[in-house]
Amino acid sequence: MFVKSIARRPLQLALLASFAAAAIAPSHAANTITATSSAKVFVPISISSTGSLVFGNIAAGTAVGTVIVTTAGTASKTGGVTLPAGGSPSAALFTITGEKGAGYTIDTTATTDLIKGSDSMPLALITDFTGTGGATTAASNVATGTIDATSGDQVLHVGGILSVAASQVPGTYAGTVSVAVNYQ
Amino acid sequence: LGSARREIVVARTLQPGLLAALLFAGALAHAQQSLVPTRSLAFGSFVAGTGGTVTVSPSGARSRSGGVALLSSPASAASFTFSDTDPAKANSVCIISLPPDGSVALTGDSGSMPLTGFTSNPSNTAVMSGGTLQFSVGATLNVGAHQPSGNYSGTVPITVEYQ
């Protein structure tokens, strides 16, 4: 009997201690957790001109006409215009560089007519990414692009449709093809 | 010899009781409180430009300063749920501790961006409702001039304790 009572007491104390720990520990414990956080810094988008849109030599007629340079750089005409040899027509090229795989918008509204003093010829653009030049109207122009996931750039080919008035005043006409790009 | 043998017998019969008590204590401490992240802190995509800041408020609204240009992309405040199954804690006052300025940064392959201005909603002292406290955390990301492009990530430690 004597031995038994000694053995019990230390164990009972241990039992109480464990309950006390259970009751106190949670109410004073600080709960710490980590949340993940993220951000993505894009490569700045930029555009550079690597070729001009050239219509070459045009002879105005007695009727209105148009000169079309496709995105492949091939010139053709409609109406009263003729195209004398020479002048090396070409499509404009723009290289857009930015975040690989990112989408962007294309804005060409700041493009101007071709002018010579007070005379002018309205210019509309034809755009694509292939430069294959199938289109002769602005109907299938590209409004958005995607930076190539491997090279990190994309080339925009720009042709144009130039409206030539009957007996358009001779001379050298020049304007600005303006392309603005922005991430979507 | 006789007394030594009796001691062993007594100890054996009491051991299961002690074991049960310890298991109970462990289960009690585990079930009572939990702090769970339910959404991460996302600053979305942007162009660094000449540098500046991107701030996500606790409501998840994103704003910028300086030369940073924000891009259309998902952004969110971090959110957490703290709960306690102990009925005595149902309406307790909690203290939410957020990291001090500059102690946490998002790191990428070739740079890092420090986080400052951590804010929570509710603010740092909040009352639980029905044993639950939900709160959101926003912060300001400091973007360097021409910060190297790429993905950045980091972890934000949040602590909740009773007042």
Side-chain angles (χ1 to χ4, degrees), chain A residues 144-157:
Chain A
T144 60
T146 303
I147 305 290
D148 188 272
T150 306
S151 67
D153 60 31
Q154 187 170 36
V155 176
L156 180 69
H157 300 257

Side-chain angles (χ1 to χ4, degrees), chain A residues 10 12 19 29 37 39 50 55 64 67 70 81 88-89 103 107-108 111 118-119 122 132 134 136 142 156:
Chain A
Q12 275 173 342
F19 269 119
S37 182
T50 49
F55 286 90
V64 298
V67 179
T70 68
V81 172
S88 304
D107 180 0
T108 57
T111 294
S118 59
D119 298 306
T132 49
T136 54
V142 287
L156 180 69

